[in-house]
DNA sequence: TTCTTTACTCACTTTGGGATGAGTTATTGT
DNA sequence: ACAATAACTCATCCCAAAGTGAGTAAAGAA
């Protein structure tokens, strides 16, 4: 009689709980998706097409690359535009102001990581 | 004869590939673990014991809290010290300089999120 | 001696991110 | 008609993060 048998996964519930507590949890979840910031960085550096990005990361699959580009566009971190007069229609990506500001913060994070890295070892000693 | 049958999971291989490409990927993976930055923030604000943290996040389990505290200590983001003269021996946590500098960057990220958030909707329109 | 509280740890199950293989649309070259 | 290339999408499987239940050590209180 007592146990009402919980229906919903507390996994996704907790994600919502955290997002409700503070927006930054959503931001963290978004930017930590694998390859995402790396792709954004490359686009900002001029490696701006599907195929050139693929060459930049040989172990990154088409599927994830396409997914990440779609996400980045949906979040307005990059824009996509057709390159005219190309044999198979091609697309060039470019970072937005929003994307460039994010990259600046990621760079701060990078510097923080370097600053506090213990020599000869990772700053994170937790087993993975 | 051709296919040499790959042995290792490309999943963890790719994590290493990314970490080798740039340290910041490791940092991103670390700080985006659920509850981690939230716990660090609370400790910095003075909510500094196991039980008080548990009360602060009712849906956070003991197990994950213990795990996160262990990680935070291993990464030198917090320190742990005994409170003397307490009935069951108690522990108080405190942020380190490294932890406080990280929180400052997380705060930047928070501001970035607020700045670019589209009104009435999430800045992230990708389905989860 | 048993109860309570703090601060954990272990074993098991679930969930969703990420990898893989195959298929799709569009356009030009042969 | 068929091949080639760019830029994707879909279905399926795997694995590690995260959740759940239970148990532990230490120290005093009843």
């Amino acid at each position: 009689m007592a146990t009402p048998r919980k229906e919903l996964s507390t996994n996704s519930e907790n994600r919502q709980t955290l997002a409700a507590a503070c927006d930054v949890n959503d931001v963290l979840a978004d930017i930590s998706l694998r390859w995402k910031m790396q792709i954004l960085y490359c686009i900002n550096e001029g490696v701006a097409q599907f195929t050139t990005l693929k060459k930049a990361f040989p172990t990154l699959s088409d599927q994830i690359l396409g997914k990440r580009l779609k996400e980045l566009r949906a979040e307005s971190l990059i824009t996509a535009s057709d390159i005219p007069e190309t044999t198979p229609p091609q697309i060039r990506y470019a970072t937005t102001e929003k994307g460039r500001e994010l990259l600046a913060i990621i760079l701060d994070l990078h510097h923080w990581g370097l600053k506090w890295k213990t020599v000869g070892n990772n700053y994170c000693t937790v087993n993975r």
Side-chain angles (χ1 to χ4, degrees), chain A residues 10-80:
Chain A
T10 325
N11 193 8
S12 60
E13 273 178 11
N14 271 345
R15 177 146 57 188
Q16 287 172 29
T17 302
L18 264 176
C22 184
D23 292 320
V24 85
N25 290 298
D26 253 355
V27 177
L28 281 171
D30 279 341
I31 66 174
S32 63
L33 292 175
R34 201 176 290 178
W35 307 101
K36 196 160 185 178
M37 291 302 104
Q38 210 75 37
I39 291 169
L40 183 63
Y41 178 81
C42 281
I43 291 173
N44 199 51
E45 295 293 310
V47 181
Q49 279 181 270
F50 197 98
T51 311
T52 51
L53 283 165
K54 247 173 75 174
K55 280 177 199 147
F57 306 107
T59 58
L60 167 62
S61 63
D62 289 19
Q63 296 76 4
I64 297 293
L65 177 55
K67 201 175 169 189
R68 288 290 112 89
L69 288 171
K70 197 176 166 186
E71 289 165 5
L72 288 167
R73 262 183 296 167
E75 295 159 12
S76 301
L77 295 171
I78 60 171
T79 55

